[in-house]
Amino acid sequence: MGTAGRAASRLVSSLRDQARGLNDPDDSQRLMDSARLLTEATARLVEAAKLNNKNPGSPASEDTLHEGIEDLKEAVWAAVGDDYRRLLLARLEAAARRACATSTQLTVTSSAVVEDIDNEHRKEDLQRVCGSVDDEVGALGTALKNLQYNPERAQAQLRLLTTAPGLLQPGTELLVLAKTTHAIVQRDDLASDLLAVLKGVVVALAELKAAINAFSEAGGLLNLDAAVETVNDLAELVNEDVEMIARDDWQRASNKTLQGATVQLTEDARSVGATMAGLVGAAAKRDDVLTGQAAQSVAEALTELVESSRDVAGGCPSDRPGQKLLLTSVVSALSTSVGLLQAARDSVTGAGGQDGNRNLVAAAKAVQEALANILGLLPHVRRMDADIERISNAAVVSDVVRSFQEAQSNFSDRAAGLNEAVANLLEAARTGDMSLAEAAQRLADDFLSMLNAAKAVDDAGNSENSRLMAHAQGVSSAAARLLEASKRFMVGDLDSKSLMSSLTDAARDVTDTMNSLLGLALASRPGQKECEAAERAVQDASGYLALTGKPLSSDDYFTCERIVKDKAMALNTALTTMTSSLRNEELERVQSAAPQFGEDVSAAVRAAAQCALLSCGESPLSEPLYALRVACDRLQDPRCEGRQLLAQATEINKQSAAVRKIALGMAETSSVAEVKRFYMESAKETTGLTAAVVQSVTKLASASTNANREVCAEKSTALVMAVEQLVSFSMAPPGTLPPTDGTPMEVPVLDPARSLVASSSAYLLAARDICKGTTASDPDWHALAQHSRDVSNALQRLLEDIVDNAPGQRECEEAAQQLRKEMLHVDQALVGAVSHTLKPIKTSTLEAYHEQTMGALIDVHDRIEPLVAAAKTNPIDLAQRVTVASQPFAKLSSDIVGAASNIVDHNSQVTVLKCCKSLMESMLQLVNSAKEAGGNPEATQTHASLASAANATRSSIQRLSAEMESASSSSGALTSMVEGVEDAMMMVRTPCSSQQWLVMTASSPSC
């Protein structure tokens, strides 16, 4: 420790002497601060050493000693680190120059050797490796020249450090080849020259490797320093562009379109944000290696950002103010990025103190804000600002129309166009920024067109439209909010769920206010507006049938069943009322009935969807199917091209892989051969269809033609249909076999609910058309009647499916089938007993059969009451209870038949079998009553038959138990008598002594 103290003291003295001899106050103060820190660290180390000597085995003193050593190392490095790095850099530079010189000599000598040897393979190897060495020597020479002109720049130092290792591998390979070639060189002078050069290359490469390793270890944050220089150079470059733009003397030639450059700039901005997050994470961990690498990534991303921003600015040559604003914002982002890099350095080195991480986060936030500012100044974003201004300050000009009906029709078309523009905007949000901007511009145009059409309706003089323009202001506000949300979406993260949710909510507001305005504007003949509004409500209800896996309400199955029944009765009544009113031209009654009709259909569909969810549950394939639909829909968008197409192909491949994995997992868990084969074949089919889709997408990305897009649409549609078939089967009830003829798989409850939506919508549209016209033709009435029948049929199918698929119904039916099967077994035995052909079954004794039968009867008796309770209140429990209650009957029927076959008395045989059959009939009646009750607490009308069947079953158990006891007792005594008679007869046939006879008769008192 004394040696370390003396060395530190000499270093402190040297630092102070250097500080006194400097003229620059800042450099002098820096050296004095280093000397002070070194003195303090030395003092702490000495104290720690003393403490450790006093407590040689103490962990605390050893920790303090280690801390003192590390503090001294850091202080020494802070004092002389820069000088040491310069020394190592000079050593690396000298080693690189020597390696270049000796390697060049070796390649020249090896080239001469090539002419002197006869081995062709060796010649080819030497020429190849000499070429590689020449290439690396050239690159290293360029790096050395760059360092010579810029010795203090970290970029030049980093380039030398990264280029120098490239010479080691080919140089070493050339050494090995030259050494092995030396033995076959024919000329002695050439061989001696080669040997001399080899020695020099060996030494030079070893020195170069050692210098590289030494400078790498001492380089510190060289990567980060080089990144700072790169960003500063970029800022200087963009500043020059801004100055040239101010002089109207700047042009930018690029092979990219403005749209392509804009999309690229958006992606580059997000790339900068991602690399910046990596830099913050590495710096917070104080990992200098990861921090340096992350800093280089940030610099590279910023380089790409500068290039794409210059491309965007160059694509707007006539907009000098816009160019200047954009590039000025880029300069600001570069400046804040330099601040982030400095904050990262302070965090790693500890120069920032306790506020290091806080400063790092603040600098990262500043860069994020600067990037958002860049995106906000993109041409399409500024164009969206103009669209928002157009909507907010719209000047209304009424359309010229000839009649009120024409104004209504015109307004209806414009409103449909606006709703379509809203839908297109939502779809564009998933495809790219430029398409979203175009969709926003179209929405603004369609809004202004709709507003003019609304003014025409208002001016046409209908009393019901006096408040039309006031309602139109609500649409204006909603449309402006939608464009604001679109703007935030474009400059934010496209994958952000919150931004997408905000955009969807704003779009829904526009649609709702527009539909409200449309309903007000189309108020003409009574019933027309109401039928249209009801039809829209019915179409909206179809969204309930998507079965996302989330409950639609808190209602249980039977509450939903009751809702469907009530709404079915109401809908059938409404169909009669509306059809009759239309024929009698009582349109006021249609006007009042149509809204309730739409609400009833919506309620019925919602309740049906909840029933389907409760009975079938969610398929694990639902989420991949939804993602596949979205991706395949995007493929059919003409604006989706290039990298966007390839991104959708990647998503399709990912979701298809998920589908295949789930399908194969279902195949493994299934014990039914047909089901297992169906899942495996579906997985194989999905693989083939996915490959076809990816191939068509790749072809479309390389050549965007209508023919290629049609092929892509065909392939993607086939894939979606195949997965839909798979999902439908996965939601089918257990025991369902897959379709064998290629027909679509029917899904209970959902299919009739979809039919209800389609037929109800068609009925309401037909009713609306009749309301519109002054007279209705025969085809109109025929269509109305057909749609009415379709609605009734769909309701009937829906109710039947809901009843059949209620929880517990399938289990009750299976239990009833099991009972019928066992009853048939007992019937066959009864026929044999009546005809005296029932043969004894000797697999067990009568006593054993009797004991087993009594045990089974006890099991049946104990399971009656839980079954009755579940049938009254709990459908889920009913499914389990009815299965459990039917289980003992398989063993019971076998034991009863076995016992009856061993009963000697014929009448007792018949009586026992009849009692068993009576018990099974009573139990079957109980199961049927339980199925009818279904676990529905409100089905109180079934409780009486349920109780009666339960009592009958208990009585049957008592009768069968009593008959078994009686038959077993009688049969046991009779069997003993028969056995005694047989023994006596054997004695008669066999000569024996009287003593033997007495013994036998005494042992058989029944004789």
Side-chain angles (χ1 to χ4, degrees):
M1 191 56 63
T3 303
R6 287 192 295 272
S9 178
R10 288 196 300 271
L11 180 56
V12 169
S13 300
S14 176
L15 290 173
R16 288 173 177 171
D17 292 341
Q18 291 182 36
R20 295 188 188 98
L22 292 176
N23 295 326
D24 188 345
D26 293 336
D27 290 343
S28 176
Q29 183 61 41
R30 180 179 61 81
L31 290 177
M32 294 299 293
D33 291 341
S34 298
R36 177 178 54 80
L37 292 174
L38 185 58
T39 302
E40 294 175 355
T42 304
R44 288 195 297 271
L45 179 59
V46 171
E47 291 298 327
K50 292 179 180 179
L51 180 62
N52 189 54
N53 288 334
K54 292 180 181 179
N55 304 288
S58 172
S61 61
E62 289 181 357
D63 291 342
T64 304
L65 181 60
H66 288 307
E67 291 176 3
I69 294 172
E70 293 299 324
D71 289 344
L72 183 58
K73 286 181 180 179
E74 292 181 4
V76 171
W77 185 252
V80 300
D82 291 339
D83 294 333
Y84 184 54
R85 275 193 293 269
R86 290 190 188 95
L87 178 63
L88 293 178
L89 178 61
R91 177 184 170 189
L92 174 61
E93 183 180 3
R97 293 186 186 280
R98 283 193 295 273
C100 286
T102 55
S103 297
T104 303
Q105 290 176 357
L106 181 58
T107 57
V108 172
T109 306
S110 298
S111 298
V113 169
V114 168
E115 303 297 332
D116 191 59
I117 61 177
D118 297 329
N119 190 325
E120 293 297 330
H121 292 295
R122 184 60 54 84
K123 284 182 178 182
E124 292 177 1
D125 290 342
L126 280 173
Q127 290 172 346
R128 175 181 57 80
V129 178
C130 284
S132 299
V133 171
D134 287 338
D135 293 340
E136 294 297 335
V137 167
L140 186 54
T142 303
L144 286 168
K145 187 179 294 184
N146 186 29
L147 180 64
Q148 183 181 357
Y149 292 131
N150 305 284
E152 297 299 327
R153 285 182 66 84
Q155 288 177 323
Q157 299 174 13
L158 181 62
R159 183 175 179 182
L160 176 61
L161 181 61
T162 55
T163 306
L167 182 59
L168 296 177
Q169 191 272 334
T172 303
E173 186 177 359
L174 182 57
L175 274 175
V176 175
L177 275 174
K179 287 179 181 179
T180 57
T181 306
H182 176 265
I184 61 174
V185 176
Q186 298 176 3
R187 291 170 49 189
D188 294 338
D189 58 336
L190 195 57
S192 62
D193 292 343
L194 181 60
L195 185 60
V197 173
L198 285 174
K199 295 178 180 178
V201 173
V202 170
V203 174
L205 290 180
E207 290 178 352
L208 178 61
K209 184 175 182 180
I212 291 171
N213 293 334
F215 188 68
S216 297
E217 295 175 358
L221 296 173
L222 185 61
N223 277 322
L224 195 148
D225 295 336
V228 172
E229 289 180 357
T230 300
V231 177
N232 283 328
D233 291 344
L234 292 172
E236 184 178 350
L237 173 65
V238 180
N239 264 324
E240 292 175 358
D241 291 342
V242 173
E243 292 174 1
M244 294 178 68
I245 290 172
R247 298 194 302 267
D248 198 14
D249 190 26
W250 184 77
Q251 291 182 346
R252 169 74 173 179
S254 174
N255 57 357
K256 292 183 180 178
T257 63
L258 177 60
Q259 177 175 349
T262 303
V263 172
Q264 186 62 49
L265 177 56
T266 305
E267 293 178 357
D268 290 342
R270 294 186 179 118
S271 177
V272 171
T275 55
M276 179 187 65
L279 174 64
V280 171
K285 296 177 183 177
R286 302 188 68 177
D287 188 325
D288 56 347
V289 176
L290 290 180
T291 302
Q293 295 172 354
Q296 282 296 308
S297 298
V298 171
E300 292 170 3
L302 287 171
T303 302
E304 296 294 331
L305 176 72
V306 167
E307 289 302 312
S308 56
S309 63
R310 297 177 78 206
D311 287 341
V312 172
C316 308
S318 59
D319 185 12
R320 291 299 190 190
Q323 290 178 332
K324 186 175 181 180
L325 280 174
L326 177 60
L327 294 184
T328 302
S329 67
V330 172
V331 173
S332 176
L334 293 172
S335 300
T336 54
S337 298
V338 171
L340 174 62
L341 293 171
Q342 296 291 358
R345 166 182 278 280
D346 292 342
S347 181
V348 171
T349 60
Q354 296 181 350
D355 295 332
N357 287 340
R358 189 182 303 112
N359 295 337
L360 186 64
V361 173
K365 184 177 180 181
V367 176
Q368 286 282 22
E369 293 173 353
L371 293 174
N373 188 34
I374 292 175
L375 296 179
L377 293 172
L378 292 176
H380 60 287
V381 178
R382 290 190 288 119
R383 189 165 65 245
M384 186 173 287
D385 289 333
D387 291 333
I388 295 173
E389 185 68 19
R390 281 200 298 155
I391 290 177
S392 301
N393 302 316
V396 183
V397 179
S398 176
D399 289 344
V400 178
V401 294
R402 291 186 298 271
S403 64
F404 179 69
Q405 287 75 19
E406 182 181 350
Q408 281 186 317
S409 177
N410 186 36
F411 177 75
S412 180
D413 293 340
R414 304 289 176 83
L418 179 60
N419 283 334
E420 183 181 355
V422 172
N424 290 340
L425 185 141
L426 280 178
E427 180 60 27
R430 304 183 181 96
T431 59
D433 294 338
M434 289 301 295
S435 59
L436 182 57
E438 293 168 359
Q441 185 176 12
R442 179 189 166 187
L443 186 142
D445 294 340
D446 288 346
F447 169 78
L448 295 176
S449 178
M450 180 278 301
L451 202 60
N452 294 337
K455 186 69 168 72
V457 175
D458 200 32
D459 293 343
N462 189 293
S463 59
E464 294 187 26
N465 292 282
S466 57
R467 294 178 291 123
L468 189 63
M469 293 310 295
H471 282 72
Q473 293 302 318
V475 182
S476 175
S477 301
R481 288 194 298 271
L482 176 58
L483 291 191
E484 288 286 356
S486 303
K487 178 182 174 183
R488 289 194 299 272
F489 185 83
M490 281 197 297
V491 300
D493 184 0
L494 285 180
D495 296 328
S496 173
K497 294 183 179 180
S498 61
L499 290 177
M500 191 63 199
S501 177
S502 300
L503 189 64
T504 304
D505 292 341
R508 188 180 297 111
D509 288 342
V510 174
T511 302
D512 291 344
T513 54
M514 187 64 249
N515 288 340
S516 176
L517 181 64
L518 183 63
L520 184 63
L522 295 184
S524 55
R525 296 190 74 196
Q528 174 187 338
K529 176 190 70 174
E530 288 75 16
C531 286
E532 290 180 344
E535 194 274 336
R536 289 194 295 273
V538 170
Q539 288 297 331
D540 290 341
S542 62
Y544 296 139
L545 303 177
L547 277 185
T548 60
K550 297 180 180 179
L552 300 174
S553 67
S554 59
D555 295 334
D556 60 20
Y557 193 93
F558 295 107
T559 302
C560 294
E561 179 184 350
R562 186 183 69 253
I563 291 174
V564 175
K565 288 181 179 179
D566 294 344
K567 297 306 178 183
M569 294 178 59
L571 287 170
N572 283 319
T573 302
L575 287 172
T576 304
T577 301
M578 290 180 64
T579 303
S580 174
S581 301
L582 287 169
R583 288 192 175 276
N584 298 328
E585 295 189 1
E586 297 174 349
L587 300 185
E588 290 78 8
R589 296 184 64 188
V590 177
Q591 185 179 24
S592 60
Q596 188 60 46
F597 183 92
E599 292 179 6
D600 290 343
V601 171
S602 180
V605 171
R606 179 187 175 97
Q610 178 76 350
C611 285
L613 183 65
L614 293 174
S615 62
C616 300
E618 183 191 12
S619 170
L621 294 162
S622 298
E623 186 174 346
L625 173 61
Y626 175 76
L628 270 178
R629 282 176 179 156
V630 172
C632 290
D633 288 344
R634 293 176 187 171
L635 292 179
Q636 302 180 26
D637 189 343
R639 295 167 295 183
C640 185
E641 55 187 17
R643 284 185 296 178
Q644 296 173 352
L645 285 171
L646 297 178
Q648 300 311 318
T650 302
E651 179 66 15
I652 288 172
N653 197 32
K654 173 184 174 183
Q655 299 303 331
S656 296
V659 170
R660 292 194 297 271
K661 182 178 179 181
I662 296 172
L664 292 175
M666 290 179 171
E668 290 180 1
T669 57
S670 176
S671 59
V672 182
E674 292 88 344
V675 175
K676 184 185 294 289
R677 183 169 56 254
F678 173 77
Y679 280 127
M680 295 183 70
E681 290 177 352
S682 298
K684 183 178 180 181
E685 181 185 12
T686 302
T687 302
L689 292 174
T690 302
V693 171
V694 172
Q695 184 178 4
S696 65
V697 171
T698 305
K699 189 174 181 181
L700 177 61
S702 60
S704 182
T705 63
N706 291 333
N708 288 343
R709 195 170 292 278
E710 289 176 1
V711 172
C712 185
E714 179 184 352
K715 301 297 184 184
S716 59
T717 301
L719 174 61
V720 171
M721 291 178 63
V723 178
E724 285 178 345
Q725 176 81 344
L726 183 59
V727 173
S728 298
F729 180 72
S730 69
M731 296 176 62
T736 304
L737 295 179
T740 57
D741 55 355
T743 56
M745 184 73 193
E746 292 188 3
V747 181
V749 181
L750 290 184
D751 282 347
R754 294 189 180 102
S755 299
L756 175 61
V757 170
S759 56
S760 299
S761 178
Y763 178 82
L764 288 168
L765 292 178
R768 179 204 62 183
D769 293 340
I770 294 176
C771 287
K772 279 184 178 180
T774 55
T775 58
S777 62
D778 289 340
D780 293 334
W781 293 114
H782 178 74
L784 186 72
Q786 182 60 49
H787 296 322
S788 177
R789 287 193 293 272
D790 291 343
V791 173
S792 297
N793 292 338
L795 286 169
Q796 182 177 356
R797 282 184 54 211
L798 180 60
L799 286 171
E800 290 174 354
D801 275 11
I802 290 177
V803 171
D804 292 342
N805 289 275
Q809 295 296 301
R810 177 175 57 83
E811 288 79 5
C812 286
E813 184 60 34
E814 291 175 353
Q817 292 177 0
Q818 177 68 21
L819 286 169
R820 293 188 189 99
K821 175 183 175 182
E822 302 305 331
M823 197 183 303
L824 180 61
H825 183 207
V826 175
D827 264 337
Q828 292 173 347
L830 181 59
V831 171
V834 171
S835 60
H836 299 276
T837 59
L838 181 63
K839 296 180 179 180
I841 300 174
K842 295 300 184 179
T843 57
S844 185
T845 64
L846 176 62
E847 289 79 4
Y849 281 130
H850 173 261
E851 184 178 351
Q852 293 169 5
T853 299
M854 297 307 293
L857 290 176
I858 292 172
D859 286 344
V860 173
H861 183 275
D862 291 344
R863 297 175 186 185
I864 293 175
E865 190 56 37
L867 174 60
V868 172
K872 290 181 179 180
T873 60
N874 193 329
I876 305 299
D877 197 22
L878 171 62
Q880 178 185 2
R881 295 296 183 182
V882 74
T883 301
V884 171
S886 63
Q887 286 174 347
F889 281 90
K891 186 75 170 79
L892 177 64
S893 65
S894 176
D895 291 339
I896 284 290
V897 172
S901 69
N902 285 279
I903 295 175
V904 177
D905 183 57
H906 168 68
N907 292 331
S908 297
Q909 282 184 337
V910 174
T911 303
V912 167
L913 290 174
K914 284 184 177 180
C915 288
C916 181
K917 180 179 179 182
S918 175
L919 169 60
M920 291 184 175
E921 289 174 346
S922 300
M923 190 64 189
L924 180 61
Q925 180 60 36
L926 177 59
V927 169
N928 290 332
S929 299
K931 180 181 178 182
E932 183 181 1
N936 186 359
E938 299 181 2
T940 55
Q941 72 278 5
T942 64
H943 290 183
S945 62
L946 194 64
S948 175
N951 291 332
T953 305
R954 294 189 187 96
S955 299
S956 296
I957 292 173
Q958 291 176 355
R959 286 195 298 274
L960 177 58
S961 178
E963 288 296 333
M964 280 296 297
E965 290 287 350
S966 174
S968 297
S969 300
S970 301
S971 184
L974 184 58
T975 300
S976 298
M977 293 176 63
V978 171
E979 290 176 350
V981 171
E982 290 177 347
D983 291 341
M985 292 176 67
M986 289 295 297
M987 289 295 298
V988 170
R989 295 190 185 100
T990 304
C992 61
S993 64
S994 58
Q995 186 177 1
Q996 291 174 327
W997 173 262
L998 290 175
V999 171
M1000 293 185 62
T1001 54
S1003 62
S1004 301
S1006 57
C1007 296

